[in-house]
Amino acid sequence: MVIFRVPFAGWGWLLSCASLLAISWLLGSQAAAAQAAGTPVGLRCEYLTNPLGLDAPRPRFTWRLHDDRRGAAQTAYQLAVGTDSLVVARGGAGTWAPGKVAAAQQLVTYAGPALQPFTKYYWRVQAWGKAGGAAAGQVASFETGLLDQKNWQGTWISDTRDVALKPAPYFRTTFEVPRALQKARAYIAVAGLYELYINGRKVGNHRLDPMYTRFDRRTLYVTYDVTPYLRPGRNAVGVLLGNGWYNHQSTAVWYFHESPWRNRPAFCLDLRLTGADGHVTTVTSGTDWKTALGPLVFNSIYTAEHYDARREQPGWNTVDFDDAKWQPVMPRAAPSGRIVAQALPPIRNVEKIPTQSLAKLNDTTYVFDLGRNIAGVSELRVQGPAGTVLHLKHGERRYPNGHVDQSNIDVHYRPTDKSDPFQTDIFTLGGRGEETFMPRFNYKGFQYVEVTSSQPVALSAGSLTGYFMHSDVAPVGQVQSSNPTINKIWWATNNSYLSNLFGYPTDCPQREKNGWTGDAHIASETGLYNFDGITVYEKWLADHRDEQQPNGVLPSIIPSDGWGYEWGNGPDWTSTIAIIPWNIYLFYGDAKLLADCYGNLKRYVDHLAETSPGGLTSWGLGDWVPVKSKSPVELTSSVYYFTDASILAKAAKLLGHPADYAHYSALAQKIRAAINAKYLNRQTGLYGSGVQTELSVPLYWGVVPDELRAQVAANLARRVAADHYHLDVGLLGTKAILGALSDNGQADVAYRLAAQETYPSWGWWMANGATTLYENWPIDAKSDISMNHIMFGEIGAWLYKGLGGIKPDPQQPGFKNVLLTPHFVAGLDHFEASHEGPYGLIKSAWTRNGAAVVYNVTVPPNATATLTLPVAAGQAVSEAGQPLVASRAGIRVVQATGPLRQYQLAAGAYRLAIR
């Protein structure tokens, strides 16, 4: 253990009883006033609530208004940032106070003096409304982390360089804590995975930290407030390391066991203790720490975990433990030159899933059924003699004889022997009463767990519990309808999305756990309508920037060990570099990710232009896993090439690059013209042979000439009818087909397709008991049949767009102006969608009674909406019982007659009737 003492500076004042009372009174008054109309609420820094350990030199501040009055709007704001909470609470600053700004924006980037490391800053925002009155929100905070590599003081340490050594390493040391401790922070960076303990207690409730990155190019560290874990005098700190993706010992087709970064896990820890006198003591990882092996005898992020309770060393992470037999540690070089803060919601055990049914196959074999498919772990409670070995085999299916069937998920595993069975934990009992086992450094995709013991043990349904694990992103969307199948599809889609969100988006939680780019951009809108995912996507696009080749090429899976540059990539998959930053801009009104990725997107599009001078490209996988009809790869990949160039042009205009805007706008039109020249029959309005994907992909992504959109959409509707209102698409077609129909006057056909309950359809899966989305349309497919895949998940976004009609406005992104185009489709009596955007709750709900429709809409404060309503001949629109033919409070009539009526709505709630 190495200890550094430095003089404390920068806090300015120490808390006294009087100041504590003053702050409590002020904060209490603010809480009471928080309900006042126009009050800023939901204050976040870097899209996190009161975050610790930020490295952002210019953090972003966001807030919403609490105001349900019609027409509520912000006309000005004033920020105050400082290190003295009392000063900030009183309206002062101390660090940055830019003054009153006459603007409606609720996203502001810090532009004050350079932030200092290890410092807690407080901030408050005051907002003015149309009536001129001001309201101030409560004080929020953020705390900086190290900010710079030079501020680390610890040494990277491990136990050995032997990557083949299977047991996990345990580390410990002891240290002194001053009697008057003001605060304590732990900063830990790890190559691999870890659990941190202080005085025998696990710190925090995170799982699988740090998030997976390209370890040799960027490594993440995590910050904890550990003040409550410490006591005056002698304390102990313990660290347990897991392999994760860093030391991948299991063998599969992607060669992660040959990763260029691979090594025995290592860590660096700085534990900063701030005393009441303001002095800082830093306890660090160093060569005086000790290490030993223990009961965690094997761990693999890909397969499972093996634990031998007979090898436990009780109290290994406490002060009084005798570590005389433990070994010295080994100093190591840092895995990368960039150790940066992890600034996104952690992975957690988010939901506890009890066993729904238990089958006892014999005295030593039980099969537990959770009743639904999840990503996560199982926890087993069991009692038996020491040395009893239990195998916990996890899978998504069962054989007819009741045993767990893994044949649909283990197809890419290439084991070298039988010591590492797939998705099978191995738990050896210690023989000390009831014992509990739950994996620390692994997760699986499963519904069933088959527990087999080496000798009989007594188990009940209560013996095993499942935990649904994923990045703990906040839900921001809700869908409810009168069709139970639609409700099940929405719920199952969200289950699959979350099952594939572990600090990066994956394809499936069992067979691969890979960050397949195509799956991710297809499902990105589904994720953003339903969950607050900006920080996860910002982290993952940083992974993109780490992985991009100098010529612009990206791999098909990100992060990657080097696999995927040669297969599976191409514009239909790796358009993530364009589509996801653009979607983040649309949903949040934040251009930072676009700016961060702008150079990378340029290199990518320039590479495509260089290799495809005629405007067409055949680089890509095409419409992956179609029902029956195959569409030309050149058509679909060229459409994505067009999309990338179009997004790049829009980004260039937005970010102030006029020459690039002109260049890439011309390139996009060149690609569009090339596609239409080869594949479009202008007389018939058909693309290619006229199958569903060939028609829907050009239509959805804007390749179809404006004058032919209606004709192409009608052809697509006829094609769907000829296919008996069933899908005949693969991955790329599912992204496009529903929107291509509903955006072009064929919403009834789109709904009929979405609600279909016979094969092939999403509803077919639901009718057969699915609780997640599948990888293939036939349930009995011989390959590509993971039962928890997100790649067909666009339907989750379409429910908001195609039925609720909720869309962001590219001209006023972040739902500053909401585009509302609800479709009152035949066959559905009620539909409701709500989305919590940057400005607050957006709600679009309609109920049909015969030919009449009642439509309820909520526009959040400081936002507006452009509402387009379909109105049949002979019907009229009314609000509050009065015909809506002229503008009134909150409503400006744009188009009062015809089949489409349009209105501009101010913030507020409205109830419209169409009769």
Side-chain angles (χ1 to χ4, degrees):
M1 174 181 62
V2 182
I3 297 179
F4 295 84
R5 292 185 180 274
V6 297
F8 175 77
W11 285 89
W13 60 282
L14 296 176
L15 293 176
S16 65
C17 291
S19 61
L20 280 170
L21 287 171
I23 291 174
S24 297
W25 181 86
L26 280 167
L27 295 181
S29 298
Q30 289 172 349
Q35 301 306 312
T39 301
V41 296
L43 276 66
R44 298 198 297 173
C45 179
E46 287 296 289
Y47 298 97
L48 300 168
T49 302
N50 298 330
L52 293 180
L54 290 183
D55 273 353
R58 300 178 65 228
R60 294 160 291 177
F61 304 109
T62 58
W63 65 92
R64 302 191 307 273
L65 297 182
H66 172 78
D67 199 335
D68 57 4
R69 295 173 298 180
R70 186 171 287 193
Q74 173 186 295
T75 59
Y77 70 88
Q78 185 170 2
L79 276 176
V81 181
T83 56
D84 188 325
S85 60
L86 185 57
V87 171
V88 172
R90 287 173 171 168
T95 302
W96 186 53
K100 183 178 179 181
V101 179
Q105 70 191 84
Q106 292 172 209
L107 165 63
V108 176
T109 300
Y110 178 81
L115 299 174
Q116 298 303 303
F118 314 118
T119 304
K120 189 167 189 176
Y121 293 88
Y122 300 89
W123 67 285
R124 191 181 75 152
V125 62
Q126 190 173 14
W128 283 262
K130 292 193 299 183
Q138 293 191 16
V139 174
S141 69
F142 68 95
E143 188 171 300
T144 54
L146 286 98
L147 289 180
D148 194 300
Q149 297 274 113
K150 67 183 180 183
N151 293 319
W152 282 98
Q153 298 182 27
T155 298
W156 282 86
I157 59 174
S158 187
D159 65 335
T160 177
R161 290 188 177 88
D162 185 2
V163 297
L165 183 62
K166 291 186 177 181
Y170 293 68
F171 303 83
R172 60 170 274 115
T173 196
T174 58
F175 59 97
E176 292 289 333
V177 170
R179 183 161 299 276
L181 180 69
Q182 184 190 91
K183 69 171 185 175
R185 299 289 186 264
Y187 306 91
I188 182 167
V190 176
L193 299 172
Y194 72 91
E195 287 187 346
L196 174 66
Y197 297 86
I198 293 179
N199 295 325
R201 295 170 57 196
K202 181 178 180 292
V203 176
N205 62 359
H206 298 193
R207 304 295 312 278
L208 303 180
D209 267 340
M211 305 297 180
Y212 176 29
T213 58
R214 175 69 189 253
F215 295 102
D216 54 352
R217 295 177 182 170
R218 185 168 48 96
T219 309
L220 302 182
Y221 75 87
V222 182
T223 303
Y224 299 95
D225 178 359
V226 294
T227 313
Y229 295 83
L230 299 173
R231 58 192 181 220
R234 204 72 181 156
N235 287 255
V237 57
V239 175
L240 169 61
L241 294 185
N243 288 319
W245 294 99
Y246 183 67
N247 184 35
H248 205 278
Q249 295 176 319
S250 301
T251 49
V253 299
W254 306 281
Y255 303 103
F256 282 106
H257 62 290
E258 298 179 3
S259 298
W261 59 70
R262 187 178 172 192
N263 209 330
R264 182 74 167 165
F267 75 98
C268 182
L269 172 71
D270 280 5
L271 178 57
R272 287 175 55 92
L273 312 176
T274 303
D277 60 357
H279 282 78
V280 174
T281 300
T282 303
V283 179
T284 70
S285 51
T287 53
D288 57 336
W289 284 56
K290 287 191 170 183
T291 184
L293 304 179
L296 186 52
V297 294
F298 175 78
N299 68 97
S300 169
I301 190 71
Y302 182 64
T303 55
E305 201 158 295
H306 307 168
Y307 189 89
D308 189 341
R310 297 171 300 179
R311 301 188 183 190
E312 289 179 344
Q313 300 186 49
W316 70 273
N317 45 24
T318 61
V319 169
D320 297 328
F321 180 76
D322 182 3
D323 61 10
K325 295 182 180 180
W326 283 41
Q327 303 299 313
V329 299
M330 173 184 291
R332 279 260 299 277
S336 73
R338 296 174 61 211
I339 315 297
V340 298
Q342 178 172 294
L344 64 160
I347 299 164
R348 290 191 175 102
N349 286 355
V350 177
E351 186 178 355
K352 186 176 181 178
I353 313 292
T355 295
Q356 297 299 303
S357 65
L358 172 64
K360 182 177 181 181
L361 303 187
N362 54 52
D363 287 345
T364 58
T365 307
Y366 299 79
V367 176
F368 295 82
D369 179 2
L370 299 183
R372 56 183 283 202
N373 198 327
I374 65 168
V377 293
S378 61
E379 181 183 65
L380 181 69
R381 292 170 296 282
V382 61
Q383 184 170 343
T388 303
V389 179
L390 297 101
H391 286 68
L392 288 76
K393 182 179 182 180
H394 298 71
E396 298 182 320
R397 307 192 303 197
R398 285 185 292 187
Y399 290 111
N401 63 8
H403 288 276
V404 166
D405 173 10
Q406 291 184 340
S407 63
N408 67 315
I409 56 175
D410 63 0
V411 294
H412 295 309
Y413 184 32
R414 302 293 184 266
T416 57
D417 55 43
K418 295 183 179 180
S419 65
D420 181 16
F422 188 68
Q423 287 214 150
T424 303
D425 295 320
I426 301 176
F427 179 36
T428 303
L429 300 185
R432 292 184 288 270
E434 184 176 79
E435 302 175 60
T436 301
F437 167 74
M438 182 176 69
R440 289 171 166 84
F441 302 125
N442 168 265
Y443 74 97
K444 307 168 187 73
F446 67 102
Q447 176 173 336
Y448 305 99
V449 184
E450 181 175 327
V451 179
T452 305
S453 56
S454 60
Q455 55 184 307
V457 293
L459 299 177
S460 67
S463 300
L464 186 136
T465 301
Y467 286 92
F468 190 7
M469 288 171 59
H470 53 79
S471 291
D472 196 8
V473 289
V476 295
Q478 179 72 36
V479 164
Q480 182 66 37
S481 81
S482 56
N483 184 339
T485 296
I486 289 293
N487 299 337
K488 289 178 181 178
I489 291 171
W490 174 76
W491 185 75
T493 302
N494 283 354
N495 283 338
S496 278
Y497 181 80
L498 293 174
S499 293
N500 287 287
L501 200 68
F502 281 77
Y504 66 110
T506 68
D507 60 331
C508 55
Q510 9 67 10
R511 191 186 69 210
E512 300 192 32
K513 300 182 173 76
N514 280 326
W516 279 97
T517 49
D519 304 49
H521 75 69
I522 293 293
S524 60
E525 286 182 280
T526 288
L528 293 172
Y529 273 111
N530 287 291
F531 303 100
D532 181 23
I534 182 173
T535 54
V536 176
Y537 285 119
E538 287 186 330
K539 178 265 177 192
W540 194 48
L541 267 294
D543 297 332
H544 279 60
R545 299 193 293 272
D546 288 343
E547 296 284 13
Q548 189 174 36
Q549 299 278 21
N551 67 354
V553 174
L554 290 160
S556 52
I557 61 171
I558 297 175
S560 173
D561 62 343
W563 188 95
Y565 291 98
E566 76 289 358
W567 188 87
N569 54 350
D572 50 359
W573 251 244
T574 46
S575 285
T576 42
I577 194 66
I579 291 172
I580 289 180
W582 183 249
N583 282 341
I584 291 294
Y585 172 67
L586 291 179
F587 275 76
Y588 288 87
D590 190 335
K592 183 179 185 300
L593 187 57
L594 264 178
D596 289 346
C597 296
Y598 182 76
N600 306 85
L601 178 53
K602 273 187 68 173
R603 287 207 303 275
Y604 187 70
V605 171
D606 287 347
H607 176 76
L608 281 165
E610 181 181 352
T611 56
S612 309
L616 299 177
T617 178
S618 296
W619 183 25
L621 290 179
D623 198 24
W624 190 248
V625 196
V627 175
K628 60 179 187 294
S629 299
K630 295 183 178 180
S631 301
V633 173
E634 185 182 65
L635 171 60
T636 53
S637 286
S638 297
V639 169
Y640 277 93
Y641 176 22
F642 163 78
T643 301
D644 295 343
S646 299
I647 290 174
L648 179 53
K650 289 182 283 192
K653 184 177 183 180
L654 176 70
L655 299 172
H657 305 295
D660 282 354
Y661 171 66
H663 174 72
Y664 292 110
S665 294
L667 176 61
Q669 293 311 310
K670 173 184 174 180
I671 301 164
R672 188 187 194 205
I675 295 169
N676 288 330
K678 182 167 183 179
Y679 288 99
L680 172 62
N681 184 323
R682 291 179 176 270
Q683 282 68 47
T684 63
L686 293 173
Y687 280 82
S689 60
V691 297
Q692 291 182 19
T693 293
E694 290 176 313
L695 294 170
S696 61
V697 169
L699 195 56
Y700 181 82
W701 291 108
V703 171
V704 178
D706 292 346
E707 69 275 12
L708 294 179
R709 290 185 66 86
Q711 184 180 3
V712 175
N715 283 333
L716 176 58
R718 282 191 287 271
R719 179 68 261 174
V720 171
D723 291 325
H724 308 291
Y725 296 95
H726 287 82
L727 293 165
D728 182 24
V729 291
L731 172 67
L732 305 180
T734 46
K735 174 65 182 178
I737 190 166
L738 297 178
L741 289 164
S742 59
D743 290 347
N744 294 282
Q746 303 291 341
D748 286 352
V749 176
Y751 172 70
R752 190 168 174 181
L753 193 61
Q756 181 63 254
E757 296 178 3
T758 56
Y759 172 82
S761 66
W762 293 279
W764 168 242
W765 294 337
M766 303 303 111
N768 282 272
T771 58
T772 48
L773 303 187
Y774 293 171
E775 185 189 11
N776 213 326
W777 300 112
I779 295 172
D780 59 351
K782 301 304 180 186
S783 65
D784 299 312
I785 190 52
S786 153
M787 298 173 73
N788 195 347
H789 245 69
I790 190 53
M791 70 181 195
F792 290 134
E794 162 64 11
I795 190 170
W798 178 79
L799 295 173
Y800 291 88
K801 296 183 292 183
L803 296 181
I806 300 173
K807 294 182 181 180
D809 184 347
Q811 303 307 313
Q812 298 184 67
F815 296 100
K816 175 64 174 169
N817 184 62
V818 187
L819 300 181
L820 290 171
T821 55
H823 292 110
F824 313 133
V825 294
L828 191 63
D829 295 328
H830 173 72
F831 182 82
E832 178 177 331
S834 60
H835 172 71
E836 189 81 21
Y839 294 90
L841 181 68
I842 304 161
K843 181 178 177 180
S844 176
W846 50 267
T847 300
R848 177 196 301 283
N849 184 3
V853 174
V854 174
Y855 179 63
N856 289 284
V857 57
T858 300
V859 181
N862 203 32
T864 58
T866 302
L867 172 62
T868 304
L869 289 177
V871 179
Q875 288 188 318
V877 180
S878 62
E879 194 248 347
Q882 299 297 316
L884 194 53
V885 293
S887 299
R888 60 181 65 174
I891 306 177
R892 180 170 63 86
V893 178
V894 178
Q895 177 63 46
T897 60
L900 293 177
R901 312 287 171 87
Q902 192 171 87
Y903 311 92
Q904 192 67 23
L905 305 181
Y910 302 85
R911 183 179 177 88
L912 306 178
I914 304 172
R915 294 185 175 87

